[in-house]
Amino acid sequence: MSSSIVLKTSNLTKHYGKIKAVTDMNLSIPEGSVFGILGPNGSGKSTTLGMALGVTTPTSGDFSWFGGEANHQVRKQIGAILERPIFYPAFTAAQNLRITAQIKEVSYDRIEEVLSLVGLNARKDSKFKTYSLGMKQRLAIGAAMIADPKVLILDEPTNGLDPQGIAEIRGIILDIAKSGKTIVLASHLLDEVQKVCNEFCVLRNGRLIHQGPVSETGNTAQAEIEFGAANGKAIELAKELDFVEVLEEQYNGIIRAHLSEGFSAEKLNEIAHSKGLVLDHLVTRRQTLEEKFLEILKNDDSLSK
Ligand code: ATP
């Protein structure tokens, strides 16, 4: 059962009158993945998650959790933060989690465990209202994890956080993923998806336009390289070699280029060396998720013409 599907949606659709929030969504989220749902504001991420979590009624279509219907037992396996959760401001973190534990019918022993998971043990007796935004968000993740669910769903988990807060949340997500949980993360931030997810999909105007592994974006077939040598010799070398297609000659004498298929940075280095030329800069740039994303959008445009 190495590749079971945790959540599968079949033509899942939600229209609000004329507003087509989600149309014919066919998603498959593999067990153990950190799955990014990437799309701009209004593309249907929250609506899709809302339907899957039973908060929003679909107009049509279907979905299944762990291959079956989402009954009470199944829902217990899903921890989710859809919007900023409500905690009691005058209660401490530990007191708030006691309430969550009661609602979820789990032992209070879990409170200490989730507090350490989200790094809030030292501040567990501080009132919620004294927490920073990052701490509030970490507490929300802790609350979602209290019943030790198999799946954690996060909608824009780093919204409004500073870089340190973002890094902390990222660390927690990666820790949770390491423990074998499936994580579904909706985000409009490419960087966030690239840094934590191993699988992703792209939504646009309520439709799914791409799903695949994040690692594919490291494809080197169209790899770009950068190289340089003292005294501007890199451009001379590039002109001599017909497998090097110069894309840009940078101000510092560094060349950005595509290599023909079958040629690598090592080959270039070897040839330079055989000509007595020492490269003082040589970098292979893989395609970033941003470039992949733009390519996906471009291809989608051409399909709709
Ligand atoms: P965001 O990150 O801004 O929340 P999103 O990708 O999560 O964006 P949704 O919130 O799912 O997108 O919204 C998709 C579309 O559905 C938007 O056009 C939104 O205005 C519309 N929509 C969502 N909820 C409702 C509602 N209750 N009534 C009417 N339209 C709605």
Side-chain angles (χ1 to χ4, degrees):
M1 294 282 281
S2 57
S3 61
S4 0
I5 298 300
V6 168
L7 171 65
K8 187 173 169 58
T9 70
S10 310
N11 296 323
L12 199 59
T13 298
K14 180 71 184 180
H15 292 173
Y16 295 99
K18 276 188 190 162
I19 299 169
K20 298 179 173 177
V22 172
T23 305
D24 287 335
M25 186 71 63
N26 292 309
L27 264 184
S28 283
I29 301 186
E31 185 172 12
S33 61
V34 183
F35 192 95
I37 300 181
L38 187 60
N41 292 132
S43 56
K45 304 181 296 292
S46 305
T47 306
T48 302
L49 293 178
M51 287 191 280
L53 289 166
V55 183
T56 304
T57 315
T59 305
S60 57
D62 226 332
F63 62 90
S64 63
W65 281 101
F66 308 104
E69 214 176 291
N71 56 29
H72 179 67
Q73 238 9 65
V74 167
R75 287 197 198 282
K76 276 192 145 178
Q77 303 294 333
I78 307 162
I81 313 175
L82 275 201
E83 23 191 89
R84 293 235 174 275
I86 298 161
F87 291 111
Y88 291 98
F91 284 13
T92 66
Q95 287 168 336
N96 270 297
L97 287 179
R98 276 168 96 78
I99 297 170
T100 315
Q102 281 167 9
I103 295 169
K104 297 271 177 91
E105 299 166 333
V106 300
S107 145
Y108 288 156
D109 296 347
R110 282 291 296 160
I111 296 173
E112 291 291 316
E113 287 168 29
V114 298
L115 282 168
S116 28
L117 176 73
V118 298
L120 286 175
N121 250 324
R123 293 294 305 274
K124 68 178 178 185
D125 296 321
S126 300
K127 288 185 176 162
F128 179 73
K129 64 181 173 196
T130 68
Y131 270 25
S132 69
L133 192 60
M135 290 162 77
K136 287 178 177 167
Q137 191 61 353
R138 283 191 275 146
L139 185 63
I141 296 180
M145 291 300 292
I146 201 130
D148 196 23
K150 286 187 179 159
V151 187
L152 176 65
I153 297 184
L154 303 165
D155 194 358
E156 304 277 3
T158 61
N159 247 3
L161 301 189
D162 62 19
Q164 192 196 335
I166 292 172
E168 283 165 356
I169 297 285
R170 189 187 302 143
I172 293 168
I173 293 175
L174 291 172
D175 281 347
I176 296 173
K178 261 188 239 152
S179 69
K181 311 280 184 199
T182 306
I183 296 178
V184 183
L185 179 135
S187 177
H188 67 284
L189 301 171
L190 287 153
D191 184 59
E192 179 160 281
V193 169
Q194 176 141 39
K195 286 192 172 132
V196 302
C197 299
N198 46 33
E199 180 97 11
F200 80 116
C201 71
V202 179
L203 305 195
R204 189 191 214 188
N205 297 331
R207 289 180 182 273
L208 179 84
I209 60 170
H210 177 84
Q211 174 169 348
V214 169
S215 60
E216 239 178 38
T217 60
N219 181 4
T220 47
Q222 266 291 306
E224 235 178 73
I225 68 159
E226 274 183 6
F227 65 105
N231 304 322
K233 289 272 197 299
I235 190 67
E236 285 176 29
L237 177 69
K239 283 178 181 160
E240 270 178 50
L241 305 173
D242 53 11
F243 66 87
V244 179
E245 179 202 349
V246 176
L247 298 172
E248 188 189 2
E249 205 178 322
Q250 295 177 357
Y251 69 95
N252 49 7
I254 289 176
I255 308 299
R256 204 161 58 78
H258 268 158
L259 299 184
S260 307
E261 230 177 300
F263 290 89
S264 63
E266 286 81 7
K267 185 73 187 164
L268 179 74
N269 201 11
E270 193 184 306
I271 294 175
H273 193 251
S274 72
K275 292 176 179 289
L277 189 65
V278 176
L279 296 182
D280 52 21
H281 177 93
L282 182 61
V283 180
T284 303
R285 275 188 69 243
R286 284 162 184 263
Q287 189 185 36
T288 64
L289 191 60
E290 184 173 1
E291 286 157 342
K292 174 79 181 170
F293 184 62
L294 294 173
E295 194 181 300
I296 291 166
L297 294 185
K298 206 170 92 195
N299 291 342
D300 182 57
D301 265 349
S302 58
L303 282 178
S304 61
K305 268 176 200 157

